Protein backbone atom coordinates (compact mmCIF):
# COMPACT_ATOMS: atom_id res chain seq x y z
CA UNK A 1 0.00 0.00 0.00
CA UNK A 2 0.94 3.68 -0.16
CA UNK A 3 1.75 6.07 2.68
CA UNK A 4 1.00 4.97 6.23
CA UNK A 5 -1.64 7.23 7.81
CA UNK A 6 -2.70 7.44 11.46
CA UNK A 7 -6.42 8.20 11.86
CA UNK A 8 -7.40 9.25 15.39
CA UNK A 9 -10.95 8.29 16.36
CA UNK A 10 -13.55 5.80 15.14
CA UNK A 11 -16.71 7.86 15.19
CA UNK A 12 -18.43 8.66 11.88
CA UNK A 13 -15.58 10.93 10.72
CA UNK A 14 -12.79 8.54 11.63
CA UNK A 15 -14.58 5.59 10.05
CA UNK A 16 -15.17 7.30 6.71
CA UNK A 17 -11.56 8.56 6.76
CA UNK A 18 -10.12 5.04 7.23
CA UNK A 19 -12.41 3.58 4.57
CA UNK A 20 -11.78 6.34 2.02
CA UNK A 21 -8.01 6.42 2.47
CA UNK A 22 -7.70 2.64 2.21
CA UNK A 23 -9.77 2.62 -0.97
CA UNK A 24 -7.24 5.09 -2.38
CA UNK A 25 -4.40 2.63 -1.73
CA UNK A 26 -3.13 4.23 1.48
CA UNK A 27 -2.31 2.24 4.59
CA UNK A 28 -4.76 4.00 6.90
CA UNK A 29 -4.82 2.71 10.47
CA UNK A 30 -7.52 3.87 12.91
CA UNK A 31 -7.09 4.14 16.67
CA UNK A 32 -10.03 4.31 19.05
CA UNK A 33 -9.79 4.46 22.84
CA UNK A 34 -13.16 2.74 23.25
CA UNK A 35 -13.70 -1.01 22.73
CA UNK A 36 -16.38 -0.17 20.15
CA UNK A 37 -16.74 2.09 17.12
CA UNK A 38 -19.39 4.77 16.72
CA UNK A 39 -18.17 7.65 18.87
CA UNK A 40 -20.78 9.56 20.81
CA UNK A 41 -23.57 7.61 19.09
CA UNK A 42 -22.74 4.78 21.48
CA UNK A 43 -24.74 5.50 24.61
CA UNK A 44 -22.68 5.02 27.78
CA UNK A 45 -19.61 4.55 25.61
CA UNK A 46 -16.87 2.99 27.78
CA UNK A 47 -14.49 5.74 26.72
CA UNK A 48 -16.35 8.05 29.11
CA UNK A 49 -16.96 10.64 26.42
CA UNK A 50 -20.45 9.66 25.28
CA UNK A 51 -22.84 12.52 24.59
CA UNK A 52 -25.86 10.38 23.66
CA UNK A 53 -29.04 10.38 25.73
CA UNK A 54 -31.75 7.75 25.44
CA UNK A 55 -34.12 9.84 23.32
CA UNK A 56 -31.40 11.17 20.99
CA UNK A 57 -32.16 11.25 17.30
CA UNK A 58 -30.33 12.90 14.43
CA UNK A 59 -31.11 16.54 13.70
CA UNK A 60 -30.63 16.01 9.97
CA UNK A 61 -32.56 13.47 7.94
CA UNK A 62 -31.12 10.12 6.93
CA UNK A 63 -31.03 11.36 3.32
CA UNK A 64 -28.94 14.39 4.31
CA UNK A 65 -26.74 12.29 6.62
CA UNK A 66 -25.87 9.41 4.29
CA UNK A 67 -22.45 8.62 2.95
CA UNK A 68 -22.25 8.87 -0.83
CA UNK A 69 -22.04 5.09 -1.26
CA UNK A 70 -23.92 3.90 1.82
CA UNK A 71 -27.56 4.79 2.47
CA UNK A 72 -29.52 4.21 5.65
CA UNK A 73 -32.32 1.62 5.41
CA UNK A 74 -35.44 2.87 3.65
CA UNK A 75 -37.71 1.56 6.41
CA UNK A 76 -36.03 3.68 9.08
CA UNK A 77 -37.67 6.93 10.23
CA UNK A 78 -36.48 10.20 8.69
CA UNK A 79 -34.54 11.07 11.87
CA UNK A 80 -32.86 7.85 13.06
CA UNK A 81 -32.25 7.12 16.73
CA UNK A 82 -28.81 6.82 18.30
CA UNK A 83 -28.97 3.01 18.30
CA UNK A 84 -29.91 2.98 14.62
CA UNK A 85 -27.01 5.29 13.80
CA UNK A 86 -24.66 3.02 15.70
CA UNK A 87 -25.96 -0.04 13.83
CA UNK A 88 -25.54 1.81 10.52
CA UNK A 89 -21.95 2.68 11.33
CA UNK A 90 -21.18 -0.91 12.33
CA UNK A 91 -22.66 -2.15 9.05
CA UNK A 92 -20.62 0.46 7.14
CA UNK A 93 -17.42 -0.99 8.60
CA UNK A 94 -18.43 -4.54 7.70
CA UNK A 95 -19.79 -3.69 4.24
CA UNK A 96 -16.43 -2.25 3.18
CA UNK A 97 -14.36 -4.72 5.18
CA UNK A 98 -11.98 -2.50 7.14
CA UNK A 99 -12.64 -3.53 10.74
CA UNK A 100 -9.18 -5.10 10.89
CA UNK A 101 -7.69 -1.63 10.24
CA UNK A 102 -9.19 -0.14 13.42
CA UNK A 103 -7.41 -0.73 16.71
CA UNK A 104 -9.90 -0.33 19.56
CA UNK A 105 -8.96 0.06 23.23
CA UNK A 106 -5.98 2.04 21.95
CA UNK A 107 -5.41 5.67 22.91
CA UNK A 108 -3.30 8.16 20.99
CA UNK A 109 -1.57 9.93 23.86
CA UNK A 110 0.87 12.04 21.85
CA UNK A 111 1.63 12.78 18.20
CA UNK A 112 4.78 14.68 17.33
CA UNK A 113 6.09 15.78 13.94
CA UNK A 114 9.34 14.16 12.85
CA UNK A 115 12.21 16.08 11.33
CA UNK A 116 11.25 16.84 7.74
CA UNK A 117 7.85 15.18 7.56
CA UNK A 118 5.87 12.36 9.10
CA UNK A 119 4.82 11.65 12.67
CA UNK A 120 5.87 9.73 15.76
CA UNK A 121 2.69 8.58 17.48
CA UNK A 122 2.63 7.30 21.07
CA UNK A 123 -0.08 4.70 21.63
CA UNK A 124 -1.36 3.10 24.82
CA UNK A 125 -2.89 -0.30 24.14
CA UNK A 126 -5.43 -2.48 25.95
CA UNK A 127 -2.78 -3.85 28.30
CA UNK A 128 -1.68 -0.37 29.36
CA UNK A 129 1.64 -0.67 27.59
CA UNK A 130 2.81 2.29 25.53
CA UNK A 131 4.49 2.00 22.14
CA UNK A 132 5.58 4.48 19.50
CA UNK A 133 4.83 4.02 15.80
CA UNK A 134 5.88 6.01 12.74
CA UNK A 135 3.41 7.37 10.20
CA UNK A 136 3.70 9.43 7.05
CA UNK A 137 0.61 11.50 7.88
CA UNK A 138 -1.93 12.09 10.62
CA UNK A 139 -5.68 12.63 10.34
CA UNK A 140 -7.30 14.13 13.45
CA UNK A 141 -10.84 12.79 13.43
CA UNK A 142 -11.38 12.60 17.17
CA UNK A 143 -14.51 14.74 17.13
CA UNK A 144 -15.65 17.95 18.75
CA UNK A 145 -18.39 16.67 21.09
CA UNK A 146 -16.43 15.26 24.00
CA UNK A 147 -14.56 18.03 25.87
CA UNK A 148 -17.51 19.50 27.78
CA UNK A 149 -17.67 23.26 28.37
CA UNK A 150 -19.18 24.05 31.79
CA UNK A 151 -19.58 27.72 32.75
CA UNK A 152 -17.77 28.85 35.87
CA UNK A 153 -20.46 30.95 37.53
CA UNK A 154 -19.67 32.81 40.74
CA UNK A 155 -21.30 31.74 43.97
CA UNK A 156 -22.00 28.44 45.69
CA UNK A 157 -24.87 26.11 44.81
CA UNK A 158 -26.64 23.60 47.03
CA UNK A 159 -28.02 21.60 44.10
CA UNK A 160 -26.41 19.65 41.26
CA UNK A 161 -24.67 21.09 38.21
CA UNK A 162 -24.39 18.66 35.29
CA UNK A 163 -23.32 18.96 31.70
CA UNK A 164 -25.63 17.50 29.06
CA UNK A 165 -22.87 15.03 28.23
CA UNK A 166 -23.77 13.23 31.48
CA UNK A 167 -27.55 13.30 30.95
CA UNK A 168 -29.28 10.08 29.89
CA UNK A 169 -32.95 10.55 30.80
CA UNK A 170 -35.11 12.46 33.32
CA UNK A 171 -34.02 10.19 36.18
CA UNK A 172 -30.41 9.41 35.17
CA UNK A 173 -28.02 10.45 36.61
CA UNK A 174 -30.26 12.89 38.50
CA UNK A 175 -33.88 12.13 39.31
CA UNK A 176 -35.55 15.36 38.23
CA UNK A 177 -39.11 14.27 39.01
CA UNK A 178 -40.69 16.84 41.28
CA UNK A 179 -37.55 18.99 41.15
CA UNK A 180 -36.85 22.48 39.83
CA UNK A 181 -34.55 22.46 36.80
CA UNK A 182 -32.74 25.22 34.92
CA UNK A 183 -31.45 24.20 31.48
CA UNK A 184 -28.74 26.51 30.15
CA UNK A 185 -28.48 26.79 26.36
CA UNK A 186 -30.95 26.88 23.46
CA UNK A 187 -29.13 24.70 20.96
CA UNK A 188 -30.60 21.41 19.79
CA UNK A 189 -29.70 19.62 23.00
CA UNK A 190 -30.92 22.34 25.34
CA UNK A 191 -34.32 22.58 23.67
CA UNK A 192 -34.76 18.81 23.49
CA UNK A 193 -33.81 18.18 27.11
CA UNK A 194 -35.89 21.05 28.50
CA UNK A 195 -38.98 19.61 26.80
CA UNK A 196 -38.14 16.06 27.88
CA UNK A 197 -37.62 17.06 31.52
CA UNK A 198 -40.92 18.96 31.57
CA UNK A 199 -42.75 15.96 30.15
CA UNK A 200 -40.84 13.66 32.51
CA UNK A 201 -42.26 15.09 35.71
CA UNK A 202 -40.02 17.97 36.75
CA UNK A 203 -41.76 20.45 39.05
CA UNK A 204 -40.57 23.32 36.87
CA UNK A 205 -38.26 23.74 33.89
CA UNK A 206 -36.70 27.03 32.85
CA UNK A 207 -34.46 27.42 29.83
CA UNK A 208 -31.83 30.17 30.02
CA UNK A 209 -29.85 31.79 27.23
CA UNK A 210 -27.51 34.78 27.00
CA UNK A 211 -28.03 35.20 23.26
CA UNK A 212 -30.57 34.20 20.68
CA UNK A 213 -30.47 31.80 17.78
CA UNK A 214 -32.87 30.80 15.04
CA UNK A 215 -34.99 27.82 16.12
CA UNK A 216 -36.46 26.04 13.12
CA UNK A 217 -38.99 23.20 13.00
CA UNK A 218 -37.75 19.69 12.17
CA UNK A 219 -41.03 18.87 10.44
CA UNK A 220 -43.64 20.76 8.45
CA UNK A 221 -47.07 19.20 7.93
CA UNK A 222 -45.76 15.85 9.14
CA UNK A 223 -42.74 15.65 6.84
CA UNK A 224 -39.12 16.74 7.37
CA UNK A 225 -38.76 20.48 6.90
CA UNK A 226 -35.68 19.89 4.73
CA UNK A 227 -37.54 17.72 2.20
CA UNK A 228 -37.32 19.39 -1.17
CA UNK A 229 -34.63 21.82 -0.07
CA UNK A 230 -31.71 21.91 -2.52
CA UNK A 231 -28.01 21.54 -1.79
CA UNK A 232 -28.28 19.68 1.53
CA UNK A 233 -25.60 17.08 0.71
CA UNK A 234 -22.08 17.48 -0.74
CA UNK A 235 -23.03 15.39 -3.77
CA UNK A 236 -26.11 17.50 -4.59
CA UNK A 237 -25.83 19.76 -7.63
CA UNK A 238 -25.35 23.46 -6.99
CA UNK A 239 -28.39 25.21 -8.38
CA UNK A 240 -28.31 27.93 -11.01
CA UNK A 241 -27.33 30.75 -10.89
CA UNK A 242 -25.01 29.90 -7.99
CA UNK A 243 -23.15 27.32 -10.08
CA UNK A 244 -22.33 30.03 -12.60
CA UNK A 245 -20.62 32.27 -10.06
CA UNK A 246 -16.92 32.18 -9.25
CA UNK A 247 -16.12 30.04 -6.22
CA UNK A 248 -15.47 33.01 -3.91
CA UNK A 249 -18.93 34.45 -4.60
CA UNK A 250 -21.06 31.31 -4.21
CA UNK A 251 -21.20 31.11 -0.44
CA UNK A 252 -21.88 34.86 -0.17
CA UNK A 253 -24.78 34.55 -2.60
CA UNK A 254 -26.04 31.48 -0.76
CA UNK A 255 -25.95 33.40 2.52
CA UNK A 256 -28.01 36.24 1.05
CA UNK A 257 -30.59 33.90 -0.48
CA UNK A 258 -30.82 31.77 2.67
CA UNK A 259 -31.31 34.82 4.87
CA UNK A 260 -34.22 36.11 2.79
CA UNK A 261 -35.85 32.71 2.44
CA UNK A 262 -35.53 31.74 6.10
CA UNK A 263 -36.78 35.11 7.31
CA UNK A 264 -39.81 34.75 5.06
CA UNK A 265 -40.60 31.20 6.13
CA UNK A 266 -39.81 31.38 9.83
CA UNK A 267 -39.80 35.05 10.82
CA UNK A 268 -43.26 34.84 12.37
CA UNK A 269 -42.27 31.71 14.31
CA UNK A 270 -39.22 33.49 15.68
CA UNK A 271 -41.41 36.41 16.77
CA UNK A 272 -43.56 33.97 18.77
CA UNK A 273 -40.47 32.48 20.42
CA UNK A 274 -39.19 35.93 21.30
CA UNK A 275 -42.59 36.83 22.74
CA UNK A 276 -42.18 33.86 25.08
CA UNK A 277 -39.01 35.41 26.51
CA UNK A 278 -36.20 33.96 24.38
CA UNK A 279 -33.49 36.44 23.35
CA UNK A 280 -33.79 38.10 19.97
CA UNK A 281 -32.17 35.97 17.26
CA UNK A 282 -29.22 37.27 15.24
CA UNK A 283 -30.05 39.23 12.12
CA UNK A 284 -28.62 36.50 9.89
CA UNK A 285 -30.14 33.06 10.55
CA UNK A 286 -26.87 31.31 9.72
CA UNK A 287 -24.49 33.39 11.85
CA UNK A 288 -24.99 30.53 14.32
CA UNK A 289 -25.88 27.01 13.27
CA UNK A 290 -29.69 27.06 13.67
CA UNK A 291 -31.43 24.92 16.27
CA UNK A 292 -34.10 22.50 15.06
CA UNK A 293 -36.94 21.68 17.43
CA UNK A 294 -40.59 20.84 16.96
CA UNK A 295 -41.46 20.90 20.68
CA UNK A 296 -39.92 24.00 22.24
CA UNK A 297 -42.40 26.55 20.86
CA UNK A 298 -45.39 24.60 22.12
CA UNK A 299 -43.70 23.94 25.47
CA UNK A 300 -43.06 27.65 25.96
CA UNK A 301 -46.53 28.72 24.90
CA UNK A 302 -48.17 26.13 27.16
CA UNK A 303 -46.00 27.14 30.12
CA UNK A 304 -44.43 23.68 30.47
CA UNK A 305 -41.07 25.39 29.90
CA UNK A 306 -40.37 29.03 30.74
CA UNK A 307 -37.62 31.22 29.30
CA UNK A 308 -35.05 33.17 31.30
CA UNK A 309 -32.04 35.31 30.37
CA UNK A 310 -28.50 34.13 30.97
CA UNK A 311 -27.35 32.89 34.36
CA UNK A 312 -25.49 35.53 36.36
CA UNK A 313 -24.54 33.55 39.48
CA UNK A 314 -25.52 30.73 41.82
CA UNK A 315 -26.72 31.42 45.33
CA UNK A 316 -27.36 28.50 47.66
CA UNK A 317 -30.57 26.88 46.49
CA UNK A 318 -31.24 29.54 43.85
CA UNK A 319 -30.10 30.62 40.40
CA UNK A 320 -29.77 34.36 39.79
CA UNK A 321 -30.24 35.58 36.22
CA UNK A 322 -28.89 38.55 34.28
CA UNK A 323 -32.09 40.54 34.82
CA UNK A 324 -31.74 40.20 38.61
CA UNK A 325 -34.51 37.63 38.99
CA UNK A 326 -33.89 34.47 40.97
CA UNK A 327 -35.44 31.04 41.03
CA UNK A 328 -35.17 28.01 43.31
CA UNK A 329 -33.34 25.17 41.57
CA UNK A 330 -32.32 21.62 42.35
CA UNK A 331 -30.50 20.99 39.06
CA UNK A 332 -28.65 23.23 36.60
CA UNK A 333 -28.19 21.29 33.36
CA UNK A 334 -25.59 22.84 31.07
CA UNK A 335 -26.31 22.34 27.38
CA UNK A 336 -23.40 24.69 26.77
CA UNK A 337 -21.46 22.84 24.11
CA UNK A 338 -17.93 21.54 23.87
CA UNK A 339 -14.40 22.84 23.41
CA UNK A 340 -12.52 22.04 20.23
CA UNK A 341 -9.69 19.96 21.64
CA UNK A 342 -6.83 17.80 20.37
CA UNK A 343 -4.90 16.90 23.54
CA UNK A 344 -2.51 14.61 21.66
CA UNK A 345 -1.23 17.54 19.56
CA UNK A 346 1.01 20.28 20.85
CA UNK A 347 -0.66 23.73 20.78
CA UNK A 348 2.15 24.88 18.51
CA UNK A 349 0.80 22.38 15.97
CA UNK A 350 -2.92 22.78 16.61
CA UNK A 351 -3.74 25.84 18.71
CA UNK A 352 -7.44 25.65 19.60
CA UNK A 353 -7.33 27.95 22.63
CA UNK A 354 -9.49 30.46 20.75
CA UNK A 355 -11.98 27.69 19.97
CA UNK A 356 -11.13 27.41 16.29
CA UNK A 357 -8.52 26.39 13.72
CA UNK A 358 -7.53 28.04 10.45
CA UNK A 359 -7.29 25.41 7.74
CA UNK A 360 -6.78 25.26 3.99
CA UNK A 361 -10.02 24.08 2.40
CA UNK A 362 -11.33 23.28 5.86
CA UNK A 363 -9.04 20.25 6.05
CA UNK A 364 -5.30 20.87 5.75
CA UNK A 365 -3.00 22.47 8.31
CA UNK A 366 -1.66 25.31 6.13
CA UNK A 367 2.00 24.91 7.14
CA UNK A 368 2.12 21.11 6.67
CA UNK A 369 1.28 18.55 4.01
CA UNK A 370 0.90 15.65 6.44
CA UNK A 371 -1.64 16.94 9.01
CA UNK A 372 -5.38 16.95 8.36
CA UNK A 373 -8.53 17.66 10.37
CA UNK A 374 -11.63 15.74 9.31
CA UNK A 375 -15.18 16.09 10.63
CA UNK A 376 -15.19 19.55 12.22
CA UNK A 377 -17.32 21.98 10.24
CA UNK A 378 -20.36 24.28 10.30
CA UNK A 379 -22.62 23.08 7.48
CA UNK A 380 -26.34 23.64 7.15
CA UNK A 381 -26.59 19.85 6.74
CA UNK A 382 -24.98 16.81 8.34
CA UNK A 383 -21.35 16.59 9.46
CA UNK A 384 -20.81 13.01 8.24
CA UNK A 385 -20.91 13.43 4.45
CA UNK A 386 -18.79 16.57 4.91
CA UNK A 387 -16.23 14.36 6.64
CA UNK A 388 -16.40 11.96 3.70
CA UNK A 389 -15.58 14.61 1.07
CA UNK A 390 -12.83 15.94 3.32
CA UNK A 391 -11.38 12.42 3.51
CA UNK A 392 -11.55 12.19 -0.28
CA UNK A 393 -9.56 15.42 -0.48
CA UNK A 394 -6.96 14.01 1.94
CA UNK A 395 -6.76 10.78 -0.09
CA UNK A 396 -6.11 12.67 -3.32
CA UNK A 397 -3.37 14.73 -1.67
CA UNK A 398 -1.59 11.80 0.00
CA UNK A 399 -1.87 9.49 -3.00
CA UNK A 400 -0.27 12.10 -5.25
CA UNK A 401 -3.34 12.64 -7.43
CA UNK A 402 -3.57 16.24 -6.21
CA UNK A 403 -0.71 18.71 -5.98
CA UNK A 404 -1.36 21.26 -3.19
CA UNK A 405 -0.39 24.88 -3.68
CA UNK A 406 2.76 26.15 -1.95
CA UNK A 407 2.74 26.74 1.79
CA UNK A 408 2.45 30.52 1.49
CA UNK A 409 -0.59 30.19 -0.77
CA UNK A 410 -2.21 27.69 1.59
CA UNK A 411 -1.67 30.03 4.53
CA UNK A 412 -3.13 32.94 2.57
CA UNK A 413 -6.22 30.92 1.64
CA UNK A 414 -6.73 29.33 5.08
CA UNK A 415 -9.99 30.16 6.84
CA UNK A 416 -11.49 29.40 10.28
CA UNK A 417 -13.45 26.16 10.34
CA UNK A 418 -15.99 27.27 12.95
CA UNK A 419 -15.90 31.06 12.94
CA UNK A 420 -18.03 31.37 9.82
CA UNK A 421 -21.72 31.47 9.03
CA UNK A 422 -23.14 27.98 8.51
CA UNK A 423 -22.53 27.08 4.87
CA UNK A 424 -24.00 24.91 2.13
CA UNK A 425 -22.71 21.30 1.96
CA UNK A 426 -23.21 21.20 -1.81
CA UNK A 427 -21.24 24.39 -2.42
CA UNK A 428 -18.43 23.10 -0.21
CA UNK A 429 -18.42 19.76 -2.03
CA UNK A 430 -18.20 21.55 -5.38
CA UNK A 431 -15.37 23.74 -4.06
CA UNK A 432 -13.30 20.70 -3.09
CA UNK A 433 -13.97 18.95 -6.42
CA UNK A 434 -12.96 22.07 -8.36
CA UNK A 435 -9.77 22.40 -6.35
CA UNK A 436 -8.91 18.77 -7.07
CA UNK A 437 -9.53 19.22 -10.80
CA UNK A 438 -7.56 22.47 -10.94
CA UNK A 439 -4.43 20.99 -9.40
CA UNK A 440 -4.72 17.36 -10.41
CA UNK A 441 -1.37 15.87 -11.36
Amino acid sequence: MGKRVCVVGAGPSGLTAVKTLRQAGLEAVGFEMSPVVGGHWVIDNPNGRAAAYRSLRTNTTKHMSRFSDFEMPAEWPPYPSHDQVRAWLESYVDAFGFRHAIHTRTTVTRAEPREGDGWEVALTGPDGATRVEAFDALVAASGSYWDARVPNWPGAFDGAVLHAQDYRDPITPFDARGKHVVVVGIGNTGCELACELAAGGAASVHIAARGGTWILPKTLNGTPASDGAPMTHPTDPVISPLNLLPAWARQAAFQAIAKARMAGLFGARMARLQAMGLPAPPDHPLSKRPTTSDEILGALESGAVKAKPGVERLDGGHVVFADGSRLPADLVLCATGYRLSYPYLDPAVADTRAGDLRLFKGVVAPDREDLFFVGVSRPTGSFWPIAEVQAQFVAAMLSGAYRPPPRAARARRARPILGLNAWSPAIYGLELREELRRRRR
Side-chain angles (χ1 to χ4, degrees):
M1 301 186 75
K3 292 180 177 179
R4 193 164 190 254
V5 186
C6 171
V7 178
V8 187
S13 299
L15 293 178
T16 197
V18 172
K19 175 260 188 187
T20 301
L21 296 176
R22 291 184 73 85
Q23 283 187 333
L26 298 157
E27 188 186 349
V29 184
F31 297 100
E32 168 58 49
M33 65 189 303
S34 173
V36 295
V37 303
H40 78 258
W41 293 93
V42 179
I43 196 165
D44 294 324
N45 195 316
N47 65 14
R49 295 178 172 180
Y53 40 93
R54 303 199 198 289
S55 62
L56 177 65
R57 292 184 172 273
T58 62
N59 290 309
T60 52
T61 66
K62 62 184 180 183
H63 182 72
M64 296 168 65
S65 306
R66 73 195 189 280
F67 292 130
S68 64
D69 53 4
F70 202 71
E71 300 271 352
M72 294 188 194
E75 64 272 17
W76 282 7
Y79 297 99
S81 64
H82 65 83
D83 53 343
Q84 289 174 319
V85 171
R86 179 185 178 182
W88 176 66
L89 293 171
E90 292 277 5
S91 63
Y92 178 70
V93 174
D94 292 332
F96 292 100
F98 61 93
R99 192 174 294 273
H100 66 284
I102 299 173
H103 297 260
T104 57
R105 302 180 189 268
T106 304
T107 302
V108 176
T109 57
R110 177 177 49 81
E112 293 184 350
R114 294 187 308 213
E115 287 289 334
D117 56 13
W119 294 82
E120 298 285 345
V121 179
L123 305 162
T124 300
D127 58 358
T130 298
R131 67 187 189 273
V132 177
E133 296 188 16
F135 293 89
D136 298 300
L138 185 132
V139 174
S142 45
S144 56
Y145 291 99
W146 64 269
D147 190 1
R149 183 188 292 114
V150 179
N152 184 24
W153 293 296
F157 186 54
D158 297 338
V161 177
L162 294 175
H163 192 273
Q165 184 180 38
D166 300 314
Y167 176 92
R168 295 296 176 267
D169 57 46
I171 63 173
T172 311
F174 182 94
D175 190 346
R177 293 173 296 184
K179 302 293 176 42
H180 300 288
V181 181
V182 174
V183 177
V184 183
I186 55 172
N188 293 317
T189 301
C191 289
E192 288 179 5
L193 299 192
C195 295
E196 180 169 290
L197 286 161
S204 69
V205 178
H206 290 80
I207 189 166
R210 292 180 302 173
T213 192
W214 284 69
I215 303 177
L216 311 180
K218 291 180 77 168
T219 59
L220 290 172
N221 301 319
T223 61
S226 61
D227 279 5
M231 304 192 305
T232 59
H233 193 274
T235 63
D236 288 348
V238 174
I239 61 173
S240 182
L242 297 182
N243 59 354
L244 303 177
L245 295 175
W248 62 267
R250 287 185 199 130
Q251 287 288 2
F254 167 76
Q255 295 288 326
I257 294 170
K259 177 181 178 180
R261 181 168 176 78
M262 292 171 71
L265 286 173
F266 305 117
R269 187 176 194 270
M270 291 307 306
R272 290 169 63 189
L273 286 163
Q274 192 173 347
M276 290 295 102
L278 289 185
D283 179 60
H284 199 298
L286 299 182
S287 63
K288 297 181 179 178
R289 196 166 188 262
T291 295
T292 57
S293 172
D294 283 336
E295 294 84 14
I296 191 63
L297 177 57
L300 287 167
E301 291 185 331
S302 71
V305 176
K306 296 182 174 66
K308 297 295 288 183
V311 173
E312 185 71 22
R313 59 188 173 90
L314 307 177
D315 184 16
H318 292 76
V319 174
V320 181
F321 299 92
D323 62 356
S325 62
R326 54 193 287 127
L327 287 172
D330 302 292
L331 170 66
V332 175
L333 183 60
C334 303
T336 45
Y338 298 83
R339 288 180 287 265
L340 184 63
S341 182
Y342 300 95
Y344 48 90
L345 293 172
D346 190 283
V349 176
D351 187 353
T352 60
R353 287 173 293 183
D356 211 339
L357 279 172
R358 292 181 66 85
L359 300 175
F360 172 65
K361 294 301 176 184
V363 186
V364 186
D367 58 344
R368 302 192 64 88
E369 295 185 13
D370 59 1
L371 176 59
F372 309 92
F373 296 84
V374 166
V376 181
S377 55
R378 290 198 67 204
T380 54
S382 172
F383 298 101
W384 311 333
I386 294 292
E388 182 186 29
V389 296
Q390 290 175 333
Q392 291 166 354
F393 191 84
V394 175
M397 186 164 165
L398 291 178
S399 67
Y402 164 76
R403 182 181 67 254
R407 177 181 298 185
R410 296 199 303 273
R412 186 173 62 252
R413 296 167 62 186
R415 296 291 183 271
I417 53 174
L418 298 178
L420 299 169
N421 285 8
W423 35 261
S424 160
I427 291 177
Y428 180 61
L430 177 59
E431 177 185 339
L432 291 186
R433 291 192 295 273
E434 287 180 337
E435 176 69 17
L436 292 177
R437 285 196 297 269
R438 181 164 50 247
R439 298 191 60 85
R440 189 165 297 280
R441 289 188 186 274

